[in-house]
């Protein structure tokens, strides 16, 4: 029973309590994926002590009981208790949950919706493929011969894939393989015999067709990983170098993963390039490329030519029965800056900048030297003028503004998310004209008329304080397409969050509430 499952958690909270505590709060989630909690202990004079326990076994048992009764997976919960032994559990589905890393609670109104990736709007490439199947085969044979001469023996590879197997793989993928990669599969179905792989593609395992299909079509392979609204509402995907060759996506169904670094990263052939790319170009994607893919070569054919050049230069090492190619050291063009004030020289390749802890006003004018700037964040720093942003393709803007003038953002063609803090009242009217605005955090802003938000038909995420939400919902309504929202109050309880979520249209009636008291000696 839920009543029995919650008592051991309360006992753990009481056992950990510091002397003089007045009340304790545990908030978090629990489910098959594990547990995560936050909270602490209230003390006299308004003091607060962190360190509420995370009794894993007991929380998992409570989550299992709630899942069995209500089919909630995972469950969001809050437990409050006092030195008197009185306690209360409030639990609900994680459609309403405590926000990690930020204050307040989040409500997910449309769990299926995902924000569009900027690459979906990019102009497609029209150039012909750069790969040449005959040249690729010749280079592959030369590559194997050179490796055999260095290692002192030829390397065993699996039998070729059949044309039928390749066609079946292409049907599963929904894309034809580039002609040069297709030709290589007609020579060998990857580079492994059993679990022994040769790592022919620069430490990357060349996958057999079956594995390539699995890696390219498994759940999430063609999408940017989704980490939740609290982390992704203002996320940005950066451009690769050269620019406009690969779509600005964290993942795409047209990226066919043919080689694996066995670390969650892959080499893929790109069948859906951006304007200046070539179909069949080789890119890096996977775990370390959520913020944007990496460009490698215009084709598998060119990549094999590069490997032969490295062998010609002696740029390799032999470790036992393994040959490793050595890429020349090169300084990458700076794309991101994280520091204090704007640097004296702004590199033109800059795409993201985090300006931190600056005393005095920050002049954003020097940033116009970075024509590809996509992300601009002022953290504990303030500016008086957003005019320079008008000339930049900024998509994610976090700014503290001394004046409330948002007119420089009027008709901004790129802005997708805005986190605004103000020291003077701001008029939101200019935001009505921003065509791709999808996310807003106004919890730190003084807004003259919140009802403007009801007229933003494409807004998907909105963060406000409880007072702001009440004013908006009393005067007007929430934006019609809202998929997620945040109640940005540090002192909000789960009961507050459920009442707020109900006003947004969520059915919070099934929430579970259990009251009890711990008796001395029990």
């Amino acid at each position: 029973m839920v009543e029995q499952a919650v008592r051991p958690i309360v006992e753990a909270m009481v056992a950990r309590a510091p002397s003089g505590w007045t009340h304790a709060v545990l908030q978090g989630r629990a489910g098959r994926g594990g547990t995560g909690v936050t909270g602490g202990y209230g003390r006299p004079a308004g003091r607060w002590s962190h360190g509420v326990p995370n009794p894993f076994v007991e929380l998992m048992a409570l989550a299992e009981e709630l899942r069995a009764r209500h089919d909630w997976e995972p469950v969001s919960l809050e437990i409050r208790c006092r030195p008197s032994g009185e306690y209360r559990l409030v639990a609900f589905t994680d459609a309403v949950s405590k926000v990690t890393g930020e204050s307040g609670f989040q409500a997910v109104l449309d769990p299926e919706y995902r924000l569009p990736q900027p690459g979906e709007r990019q102009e497609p490439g029209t150039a012909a493929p750069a790969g040449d199947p005959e040249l690729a085969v010749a280079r592959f044979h030369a590559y194997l011969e050179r490796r055999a001469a260095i290692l002192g023996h030829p390397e065993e590879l699996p039998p070729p894939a059949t044309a039928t197997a390749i066609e079946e793989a292409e049907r599963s993928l929904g894309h034809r393989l580039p002609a040069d990669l297709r030709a290589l599969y007609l020579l060998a179905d990857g580079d492994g015999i059993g679990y022994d792989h040769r790592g022919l593609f620069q430490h990357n395992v060349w996958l057999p067709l079956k594995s390539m299909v699995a890696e390219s079509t498994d759940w999430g392979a063609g999408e940017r990983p989704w980490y939740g609204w609290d982390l992704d509402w203002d996320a940005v995907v950066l451009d690769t170098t050269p620019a406009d060759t690969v779509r600005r996506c964290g993942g795409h169904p047209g990226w066919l993963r043919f080689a694996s670094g066995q670390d969650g990263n892959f080499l893929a052939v790109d069948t859906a390039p951006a304007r200046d790319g070539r179909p069949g170009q080789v890119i890096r994607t996977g775990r370390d490329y959520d913020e944007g893919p990496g460009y490698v070569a215009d084709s598998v054919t060119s990549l094999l030519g590069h490997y032969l050049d490295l062998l010609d230069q002696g740029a390799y090492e032999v470790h036992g029965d393994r040959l490793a190619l050595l890429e020349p050291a090169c300084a990458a063009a700076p794309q991101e800056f994280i520091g204090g004030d704007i640097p004296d020289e702004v590199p033109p390749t800059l795409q993201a900048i985090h300006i931190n802890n600056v005393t005095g006003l920050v002049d954003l004018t020097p940033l116009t030297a970075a024509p590809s700037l996509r992300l601009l964040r002022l953290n504990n720093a303030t500016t008086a003028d957003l005019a320079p942003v008008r000339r930049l393709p900024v998509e994610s803007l976090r700014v503290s503004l001394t004046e409330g003038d948002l007119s420089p953002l009027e008709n901004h063609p790129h802005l997708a998310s805005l986190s605004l803090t103000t020291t003077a009242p701001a008029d939101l009217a200019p935001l009505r004209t921003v065509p791709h605005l999808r996310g807003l955090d106004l919890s730190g802003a003084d807004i003259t008329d919140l009802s403007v938000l009801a007229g933003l038909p494409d807004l998907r995420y909105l963060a406000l304080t409880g007072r702001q939400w009440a004013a908006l919902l009393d005067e007007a309504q929430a934006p019609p397409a809202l998929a997620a929202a945040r109640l940005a109050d540090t002192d909000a309880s789960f009961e507050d969050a459920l009442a707020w979520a109900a006003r947004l249209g969520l059915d919070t009636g099934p929430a579970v509430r259990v009251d009890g008291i711990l008796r001395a000696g029990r």
Side-chain angles (χ1 to χ4, degrees):
M1 299 202 28
V2 173
E3 293 81 357
Q4 295 174 335
V6 72
R7 290 181 66 86
I9 304 172
V10 178
E11 290 170 352
M13 294 170 66
V14 172
R16 181 75 68 86
S19 61
W21 69 292
T22 59
H23 65 284
V25 180
L26 180 151
Q27 297 168 325
R29 290 185 185 183
R32 292 192 176 103
T35 67
V37 302
T38 186
Y41 299 89
R43 304 179 70 180
R47 292 180 298 162
W48 182 257
S49 295
H50 295 282
V52 69
N54 182 359
F56 177 81
V57 173
E58 292 80 4
L59 283 166
M60 292 293 280
L62 175 59
E64 176 59 35
E65 183 68 30
L66 290 165
R67 180 168 54 249
R69 288 186 171 218
H70 301 280
D71 199 27
W72 295 341
E73 174 55 38
V75 61
S76 289
L77 58 91
E78 177 182 273
I79 300 173
R80 292 177 176 260
C81 64
R82 296 186 177 278
S84 63
E86 296 173 285
Y87 64 84
R88 183 174 226 214
L89 163 73
V90 181
F92 189 56
T93 169
D94 75 331
V96 181
S97 61
K98 181 70 176 176
V99 177
T100 56
E102 294 189 79
S103 60
F105 287 84
Q106 174 180 277
V108 178
L109 311 175
D110 184 353
E112 302 302 320
Y113 181 80
R114 296 292 181 267
L115 290 167
Q117 300 187 95
E120 296 171 10
R121 300 197 306 266
Q122 280 180 276
E123 184 180 341
T126 57
D132 181 327
E134 293 184 5
L135 182 56
V137 167
R139 286 179 173 175
F140 187 71
H141 282 308
Y143 180 44
L144 293 180
E145 291 169 3
R146 292 292 306 280
R147 291 174 62 98
I150 293 168
L151 294 172
H153 63 84
E155 296 172 286
E156 186 180 6
L157 295 179
T162 65
T164 298
I166 293 174
E167 290 168 1
E168 290 177 355
E170 290 173 335
R171 280 194 292 272
S172 298
L173 292 166
H175 299 273
R176 283 186 60 83
L177 296 183
D180 52 357
L181 181 59
R182 199 176 204 274
L184 297 189
Y185 274 109
L186 290 171
L187 299 178
D189 189 12
D191 66 9
I193 302 293
Y195 291 100
D196 185 20
H197 293 271
R198 308 313 302 177
L200 294 181
F201 285 91
Q202 187 63 310
H203 310 296
N204 292 281
V205 168
W206 180 19
L207 298 172
L209 281 174
K210 182 178 180 180
S211 296
M212 182 182 71
V213 170
E215 293 290 1
S216 300
T217 59
D218 278 354
W219 182 88
E223 303 175 356
R224 185 183 188 276
W226 182 253
Y227 299 111
W229 281 97
D230 52 333
L231 296 177
D232 275 3
W233 77 273
D234 60 351
V236 167
V237 180
L238 303 182
D239 204 352
T240 191
T241 302
D244 279 321
T245 52
V246 189
R247 291 182 183 274
R248 292 175 50 227
C249 298
H252 194 279
W255 297 351
L256 312 183
R257 300 172 170 184
F258 72 94
S260 169
Q262 299 183 294
D263 58 355
N265 295 312
F266 300 87
L267 291 179
V269 284
D270 181 4
T271 64
R275 181 189 63 197
D276 296 333
R278 308 285 290 270
Q281 63 193 5
V282 181
I283 64 172
R284 293 187 182 92
T285 184
R287 184 193 66 186
D288 296 331
Y289 296 92
D290 294 346
E291 293 184 352
Y295 179 89
V296 178
D298 65 11
S299 64
V300 172
T301 307
S302 295
L303 186 58
L304 291 171
H306 173 61
Y307 292 164
L308 289 171
D309 288 342
L310 292 178
L311 292 177
D312 289 340
Q313 298 161 16
Y316 61 85
E317 292 178 346
V318 177
H319 303 279
D321 198 35
R322 290 288 186 268
L323 187 151
L325 299 173
L326 304 176
E327 295 285 355
C330 60
Q335 291 189 316
E336 186 169 16
F337 174 84
I338 301 175
D341 208 340
I342 298 173
D344 293 336
E345 293 188 15
V346 175
T349 55
L350 196 67
Q351 296 190 53
I353 185 168
H354 303 253
I355 301 167
N356 301 327
N357 306 316
V358 177
T359 301
L361 295 178
V362 177
D363 179 8
L364 301 179
T365 304
L367 295 178
T368 56
S372 298
L373 191 68
R374 304 286 184 181
L375 181 147
L376 170 56
R377 300 205 170 151
L378 273 65
N379 305 306
N380 196 24
T382 304
T383 188
D385 185 12
L386 291 178
V389 178
R390 187 195 299 272
R391 293 175 278 167
L392 293 167
V394 170
E395 296 172 3
S396 178
L397 176 61
R398 181 181 298 169
V399 64
S400 179
L401 196 59
T402 56
E403 303 297 331
D405 184 13
L406 299 180
S407 60
L409 302 181
E410 193 169 6
N411 293 306
H412 196 290
H414 304 281
L415 188 65
S417 66
L418 170 64
S419 178
L420 179 67
T421 301
T422 64
T423 57
D427 180 4
L428 297 180
L431 299 184
R432 290 183 176 134
T433 65
V434 180
H436 299 297
L437 187 63
R438 299 291 181 268
L440 276 175
D441 183 346
L442 303 174
S443 58
D446 182 0
I447 306 301
T448 57
D449 181 10
L450 286 164
S451 66
V452 172
L453 296 171
L456 301 181
D458 298 315
L459 196 70
R460 298 291 184 165
Y461 176 89
L462 178 61
L464 300 172
T465 65
R467 179 186 58 80
Q468 290 173 320
W469 277 113
L472 172 62
L473 297 175
D474 289 345
E475 296 172 11
Q477 61 181 7
L482 209 60
R486 182 163 72 94
L487 174 66
D489 287 350
T490 57
D491 58 351
S493 69
F494 201 15
E495 288 282 19
D496 296 333
L498 291 173
W500 159 74
R503 291 200 69 184
L504 293 177
L506 275 180
D507 178 11
T508 61
V512 170
R513 295 170 178 85
V514 173
D515 294 291
I517 185 167
L518 294 180
R519 301 293 184 184
R522 293 184 61 185

